[in-house]
Amino acid sequence: MPTQTDPCQRNWLQRLHQGPRRVKQLILLCIDSIALPIIVLFAFYLRIGEWHIQSHELIDLPLIVGSGLLIAYGVRVYSAVVRAFDEHFIQSAMLASVLWIMFLWALPSTGLIQTIPRSVMLMSSFFWLMHLWLSRALIRAVITELLQRSQGQTRVLIYGAGSAGRQLASAMSSMGEYRVLGFVDDDPDLQAIRLHGLLVWPGSRIGPLLRQQRVDEVILAMPVVGRARRREIVDSITMVAKTLKVRVRMLPGIEQMVQGELKMSDVREVDIEELLGRDPIAPNLALFRHHVADRVVMVTGAAGSIGSELCRQLLTATPTTLVLLDHNEYGLYAIERELCEAYPEAKIIAILGSVLDQPRLVRVLQRFGVETLYHAAAYKHVPMVEANPFEGVINNACGTYRTAMAAREAGVKTFVLVSTDKAVRPTNVMGASKRLSELVLQALAAEPVASNQVGTCFSMVRFGNVLCSSGSVVPMFRQQLAEGGPITVTHPDITRYFMTIPEAAQLVIQAGGMAQGGEVFLLEMGEAVRIVDLARQMIKLSGFTERTTANPEGDIEITFIGLRP
């Protein structure tokens, strides 16, 4: 765990660390002013073999020392930041050493100084270069060590010894609050070597390392590795460190890293969607743009978690106009403001209204000439709809019917319903209301189109639980973690299929491009995830331990509250 030092030492270190650059440069100049005469005298001793030096040589000493300091200052040796000691500083130090020996070589011809043995010049220049190099390295090591102890050091292990991991180690080495213990990597060619002075261990040693090195945090520095592999690594960490408080964080993807130099601020928490055992499903761009590009598009329920993500995704496909409809005033204001800031060139129209008001829907659709409509407006919280069944059925089923009728009357070409996997053999009112909505659209799709009407293509999209949506279990778990627990789970064997919000939105958009009329589209969502395993992963990734009968000193307890009726 982090250690603390005396407050007086901490205050002195903080003042020095955060002080003006000029003060730090003056300190270094004073150190060099003391070291350089000693270096020259030592070179004379090595040349003569005794400490007896001629008086005229001592008289010349201030000029020799002063020239060395002035040349070092002129080539910006004192402009380098000691914390960022690197090859650029070494280049400046070498240049200062070379220019100094050239100056000393030419100095006797000016008559300002007596003849100096050339061996003394060479040795002084070499020792001067060694002093500049080693003194800065020593100062950095000492200051970094003292700062780590005064601020409370976090002991970090970096998983990934590639370029991203090495950049991260360099960034963290200049920060007093972190101590990098080493690297872990699965590549046999990198194992057992040292990078930045840090040893690279094999991935199979992760368990013993966490215990022996008393690791506080593991950072995954593998931006090009797939999500499934990242989950395997995190699983291996959580499995071998069940009683240890080890925090896990990760670097962003490679597409974010290419924007610039890697910084410590790029490190983020491991998102729970990173650990669901599959990589995100990439959209088919042709389908994605099929009924969106150069069209007027409308989204109902645009202020909701799914509806708002739909709007974000739709704007990447360049519709001519995007119409937002919702009865939540603040939510509609917030999403309109966000989209206008992110896409200042896009034409975005926000309409405050209800999907139950069919005449108003017809007027809006006709006024803006909507061609594609995504119907995401719905009540979706199972317990809330169960407690208010009438409102749930009216809003979900009747709202879908009236929106669909308005779309057909206004000549909308494509209508896509955002449905749910709970509509399959529904066991609750919410699922039943969505299944009724699907039946409504399938009935409308089966009706013949009058000769004076434009046929509307109706389709539906079902998907499972959407991570971090307003109805997802993940935000509830995060809130319970923040409150210190317990985390409540209905049953230890309950499983769910999960997907991310962007995946859900992309699927809905692509379904509109595939639809012929009356279809129900599904997403292959990988393996089902046990909710209790999800809860345990979140506990572990937050740096806590689970409190159980076997581990009564744990931080967060998981409580099983029983299945809903």
Side-chain angles (χ1 to χ4, degrees), residues 1-6 9-10 13-14 144-156 175-179 216-217:
M1 294 299 292
T3 57
Q4 297 292 334
T5 56
D6 184 74
Q9 183 193 48
R10 180 166 62 251
L13 284 170
Q14 290 296 334
T144 300
E145 178 69 20
L146 292 176
L147 282 172
Q148 287 175 340
R149 293 187 178 184
S150 67
Q151 294 177 352
Q153 57 188 3
T154 299
R155 300 170 66 85
V156 176
M175 305 177 69
E177 62 267 31
Y178 294 100
R179 164 172 274 183
D216 298 316
E217 188 169 301

Side-chain angles (χ1 to χ4, degrees), residues 412-461:
V412 174
K413 297 177 181 178
T414 305
F415 184 106
V416 182
L417 168 68
V418 178
S419 189
T420 171
D421 61 355
K422 295 178 178 62
V424 182
R425 294 188 297 276
T427 58
N428 51 62
V429 176
M430 196 280 283
S433 67
K434 297 299 283 187
R435 178 57 184 149
L436 184 55
S437 302
E438 292 179 355
L439 293 172
V440 165
L441 292 189
Q442 288 176 324
L444 291 175
E447 288 184 357
V449 180
S451 58
N452 61 341
Q453 288 185 331
V454 176
T456 301
C457 178
F458 295 101
S459 61
M460 297 132 273
V461 185

Side-chain angles (χ1 to χ4, degrees), residues 304-316:
S305 52
I306 300 298
S308 60
E309 183 62 26
L310 265 174
C311 296
R312 298 183 191 101
Q313 299 281 349
L314 285 166
L315 286 174
T316 65

Side-chain angles (χ1 to χ4, degrees), residues 68 89 119 137 143 150 156 187 201 222 272 405 418 424 462 532:
F89 173 79
S119 57
I143 294 297
S150 67
V156 176
D187 186 352
W201 286 287
M222 300 175 297
I272 200 68
M405 293 297 291
V418 178
V424 182
R462 289 179 186 167
V532 67

Side-chain angles (χ1 to χ4, degrees), residues 41 44 48 51-62 64 113-115:
L41 292 174
F44 271 107
I48 301 172
W51 288 108
H52 180 69
I53 302 174
Q54 300 296 326
S55 58
H56 69 272
E57 293 170 338
L58 288 175
I59 292 174
D60 296 335
L61 190 60
I64 297 172
I113 196 169
Q114 300 297 323
T115 302

Side-chain angles (χ1 to χ4, degrees), residues 32-81:
D32 293 345
S33 300
I34 297 171
L36 192 51
I38 297 173
I39 287 172
V40 176
L41 292 174
F42 183 65
F44 271 107
Y45 167 74
L46 292 178
R47 171 67 175 82
I48 301 172
E50 58 182 20
W51 288 108
H52 180 69
I53 302 174
Q54 300 296 326
S55 58
H56 69 272
E57 293 170 338
L58 288 175
I59 292 174
D60 296 335
L61 190 60
L63 178 58
I64 297 172
V65 172
S67 62
L69 294 174
L70 284 173
I71 290 172
Y73 187 85
V75 298
R76 305 181 64 82
V77 167
Y78 296 102
S79 298
V81 179

